[in-house]
C-alpha cells in the first residue's frame, strides 16, 4: 500500500455538488496517512457545518482509497481550523469561472492571535453588503436574486448585461 498513490486517488475525488473541482482543490482534503495497524486515515474539513454533500464525499473518499490499495479506511472530520474560501486555489477558481460559477472574492485574514491549531473567524457587522460578483461569462456587474443558489454554499445572481443567471460561491 503506497500512501502517495492513495492520497492522489483521494485528492482526485470530485465535489458532488460542484463537479468541476476536486475536494483537494477546494481545500476540503486535509491529510492522508496510514496508522500503525494499517488503517488508512483520511482527514477532511467540511466547507460548512451541515453540508449535505459530506456523506457522499466520505463514501467517495473510501471508494477512491480502496481502489488505490487501502483495505481499511477511516474518514475523520476535523472542524478546527474551520474551512475558509481562502483555501480555494487559483486553478480551482479558474475552473469555477469556466463552469459559469463566480468564485468567492477575497476574504481578509482575521487579525489577532488564535490559540494553537485554530484560527480566528472575522465577524463583520455592517449595513454595507459585500460587493456584487462579476458575471463569470462577460464580467459585467450583477444583481442578487436569492441568498441561496443551487447549493447552500452558493447564492443566485443575474448579470446586468447579458441577463444570464449564475451561482456565486459565497465567501467565508
Amino acid at each position: 500500500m503506497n500512501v502517495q498513490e492513495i492520497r492522489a486517488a483521494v485528492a482526485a475525488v470530485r465535489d458532488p455538488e460542484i463537479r468541476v473541482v476536486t475536494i483537494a482543490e477546494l481545500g476540503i482534503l486535509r491529510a492522508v496517512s496510514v496508522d500503525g495497524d494499517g488503517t488508512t486515515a483520511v482527514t477532511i474539513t467540511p466547507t460548512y457545518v451541515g453540508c449535505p454533500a459530506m456523506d457522499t464525499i466520505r463514501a467517495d473518499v473510501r471508494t477512491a482509497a480502496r481502489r488505490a490499495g487501502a483495505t481499511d479506511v477511516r474518514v475523520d472530520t476535523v472542524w478546527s481550523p474551520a474551512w475558509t474560501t481562502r483555501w480555494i486555489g487559483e486553478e480551482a477558481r479558474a475552473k469555477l469561472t469556466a463552469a459559469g460559477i463566480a468564485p468567492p472574492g477575497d476574504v481578509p485574514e482575521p487579525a489577532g492571535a488564535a490559540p494553537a491549531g485554530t484560527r480566528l473567524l472575522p465577524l463583520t457587522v455592517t449595513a454595507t453588503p459585500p460587493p456584487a460578483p462579476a458575471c463569470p461569462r462577460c464580467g459585467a456587474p450583477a444583481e442578487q436574486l436569492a441568498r441561496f443558489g443551487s447549493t447552500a454554499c452558493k447564492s443566485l445572481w443575474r448579470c446586468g448585461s447579458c441577463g444570464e443567471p449564475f451561482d456565486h460561491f459565497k465567501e467565508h
Side-chain angles (χ1 to χ4, degrees), residues 77-100:
T77 302
V78 296
W79 300 98
S80 180
W83 182 87
T84 172
T85 51
R86 285 189 301 276
W87 294 355
I88 301 174
E90 289 305 314
E91 187 176 324
R93 290 170 186 269
K95 288 179 180 182
L96 291 170
T97 300

Side-chain angles (χ1 to χ4, degrees), residues 16-172:
E17 293 180 331
I18 309 168
R19 303 293 299 170
V20 298
V21 290
T22 68
I23 63 171
E25 292 171 326
L26 284 176
I28 294 170
L29 178 62
R30 301 289 293 279
V32 178
S33 61
V34 178
D35 295 344
D37 66 356
T39 301
T40 298
V42 179
T43 306
I44 57 176
T45 297
T47 56
Y48 68 96
V49 175
C51 175
M54 291 313 297
D55 287 340
T56 301
I57 290 172
R58 285 183 196 95
D60 291 351
V61 161
R62 285 186 195 96
T63 299
R66 287 186 180 119
R67 285 185 180 155
T71 52
D72 189 21
V73 181
R74 184 182 75 244
V75 180
D76 299 323
T77 302
V78 296
W79 300 98
S80 180
W83 182 87
T84 172
T85 51
R86 285 189 301 276
W87 294 355
I88 301 174
E90 289 305 314
E91 187 176 324
R93 290 170 186 269
K95 288 179 180 182
L96 291 170
T97 300
I101 301 168
D106 293 331
V107 177
E109 203 51 59
T118 66
R119 70 177 180 84
L120 296 175
L121 292 175
L123 176 61
T124 305
V125 179
T126 175
T128 306
C135 174
R137 291 173 182 86
C138 72
E143 65 174 329
Q144 188 174 41
L145 300 177
R147 290 183 62 202
F148 295 96
S150 60
T151 65
C153 60
K154 294 182 283 192
S155 54
L156 183 61
W157 294 74
R158 178 176 46 225
C159 179
S161 177
C162 69
E164 287 292 318
F166 64 91
D167 278 337
H168 171 246
F169 203 111
K170 297 176 189 174
E171 295 87 1
H172 67 280

